[in-house]
Amino acid sequence: WYSEGDDIGDAMEKGVKEAQKKGQALLFNNFHVKDNEQYSKMNEVMIQAKTKSVIVHRSNSLDTLVCDVRDCFADPAGVERGYTVDAQGRKIDLCFDRRTSPIETLAHLEPKNLVHHLAEAASFPDEQASMLKKLGYAPAKTVLVENLFAFEYSRSNLEKSVAEWELLYESLGVKADPQIIRDYLTPDVESRDRPKKHSEVIDNYKVIHHTLVDQAKELCWMIRRE
């Protein structure tokens, strides 16, 4: 929908109009709401189209941090998060290629910035919900990534995942049939190994553990010990 000379709002408006003519709805993914001039037209178009929103959040910020470091995402605002090493502690930069590489990758986290990053990530849903409200969007609910995909690790979590997917669809204005969701998820029940202990994916685990115990006991629940 983008043409030379357009901004993101112009492209969004064309997309919405085209979808409406076809009796369809657009789904935008990975959108961080911002309140600035660049995004003002886009927000205006989205609000006029009565856009519904849902915040999908990974509640364990330590998992998010480890994943970001291993995938080589840039440090935000120059605040170092850490770097990736192999099993011998040597720096490597496989990034996304780690998923298909036989080389074991671990995250070496920067302890002095640890609590800052975890707290910042944990506050994301509330900040985004507040921003959506400020801009005029309908109230947004938060669904948790861990609940959406809990069924992949244990059959006992299937109903938890069904309920979370129901909430996600409800937030987008869709009344979903839980049995259809259940039938769709069931083939992938227990299809993945449980996440590894953090001592197996964090190179300097003992330092990180002590940092949380000393500086932020309220975040210690994020440490996966089994």
Side-chain angles (χ1 to χ4, degrees):
W1 301 307
Y2 178 80
S3 301
E4 188 174 354
D6 286 350
D7 61 20
I8 190 171
D10 295 322
M12 192 81 72
E13 187 171 29
K14 291 177 184 177
V16 169
K17 288 180 178 178
E18 182 178 320
Q20 289 174 338
K21 287 179 181 178
K22 297 178 180 179
Q24 299 174 341
L26 298 179
L27 178 64
F28 296 95
N29 181 38
N30 199 27
F31 172 47
H32 287 206
V33 180
K34 298 181 180 179
D35 182 15
N36 57 35
E37 185 175 348
Q38 179 184 359
Y39 286 85
S40 60
K41 176 64 179 296
M42 182 184 65
N43 287 325
E44 180 182 332
V45 171
M46 298 280 276
I47 293 168
Q48 286 180 349
K50 299 181 180 179
T51 298
K52 296 182 183 298
S53 58
V54 59
I55 299 167
V56 181
H57 178 62
R58 194 173 183 177
S59 63
N60 191 321
S61 303
L62 183 57
D63 280 339
T64 303
L65 180 59
V66 169
C67 188
D68 286 352
V69 169
R70 294 169 79 195
D71 285 342
C72 308
F73 286 146
D75 294 324
V79 182
E80 185 181 359
R81 288 181 285 200
Y83 52 86
T84 305
V85 299
D86 62 16
Q88 285 71 49
R90 296 173 298 205
K91 281 189 177 183
I92 53 175
D93 57 355
L94 290 173
C95 305
F96 281 93
D97 289 340
R98 68 182 174 85
R99 289 170 171 76
T100 55
S101 172
I103 300 175
E104 183 179 6
T105 60
L106 297 89
H108 186 99
L109 303 181
E110 175 52 65
K112 73 175 184 288
N113 299 327
L114 178 68
V115 174
H116 166 80
H117 286 304
L118 297 186
E120 186 175 61
S123 67
F124 175 79
D126 288 341
E127 291 177 354
Q128 285 294 286
S130 176
M131 180 64 72
L132 285 164
K133 182 178 179 180
K134 173 185 175 183
L135 293 171
Y137 289 87
K141 294 182 179 179
T142 297
V143 299
L144 300 181
V145 171
E146 288 91 341
N147 291 344
L148 290 173
F149 298 103
F151 72 98
E152 293 182 332
Y153 304 109
S154 174
R155 182 171 298 276
S156 64
N157 290 330
L158 178 58
E159 294 309 310
K160 177 193 291 184
S161 292
V162 170
E164 202 74 1
W165 281 102
E166 275 192 271
L167 177 59
L168 186 150
Y169 280 113
E170 176 188 321
S171 300
L172 296 177
V174 178
K175 177 60 177 175
D177 183 336
Q179 188 56 50
I180 293 177
I181 297 175
R182 191 175 294 109
D183 291 343
Y184 187 83
L185 300 184
T186 296
D188 289 320
V189 164
E190 296 185 353
S191 60
R192 301 186 66 181
D193 294 332
R194 290 179 178 274
K196 291 182 178 180
K197 298 183 291 185
H198 281 129
S199 59
E200 297 175 337
V201 294
I202 299 176
D203 176 53
N204 54 337
Y205 170 76
K206 289 184 178 180
V207 173
I208 296 306
H209 180 272
H210 289 315
T211 299
L212 285 180
V213 170
D214 292 342
Q215 299 182 21
K217 285 188 174 64
E218 70 279 7
L219 300 179
C220 284
W221 68 269
M222 296 182 183
I223 300 173
R224 189 164 47 254
R225 298 179 175 84
E226 58 181 39

